Amino acid sequence: MSIELITWEPQRKRPLADDTDPQALHDELALRARNGETVDVTGVKGERITLNPARLQAWTIETDRK
């Protein structure tokens, strides 16, 4: 399964680790956006990605189950 976080303003695609729970990530981004806090996620290569969802215009999480 591949998981990708797509953001607008700035527009970017970020491949995420396969063990990422898409629903939990969506809930966490929504909560942190309201509180103005950052969220750390793990990229496909194991790198840490820090996001501030309050600064993102929108996001979507796409999964491709193989």
Side-chain angles (χ1 to χ4, degrees):
M1 173 170 66
S2 67
I3 303 169
E4 200 169 57
L5 175 67
I6 302 171
T7 61
W8 290 266
E9 298 302 324
Q11 186 173 4
R12 217 159 150 204
K13 291 185 179 185
R14 295 175 175 91
L16 302 178
D18 284 343
D19 63 349
T20 302
D21 179 351
Q23 185 61 48
L25 176 58
H26 179 272
D27 294 345
E28 186 76 12
L29 287 170
L31 174 68
R32 301 299 178 193
R34 287 190 294 271
N35 296 336
E37 300 171 349
T38 61
V39 176
D40 289 334
V41 295
T42 304
V44 74
K45 295 179 183 175
E47 72 278 14
R48 184 176 75 172
I49 303 167
T50 301
L51 301 168
N52 184 346
R55 292 183 170 259
L56 300 174
Q57 183 182 47
W59 65 81
T60 187
I61 301 166
E62 293 188 1
T63 59
D64 180 22
R65 299 179 189 276
K66 294 181 180 180

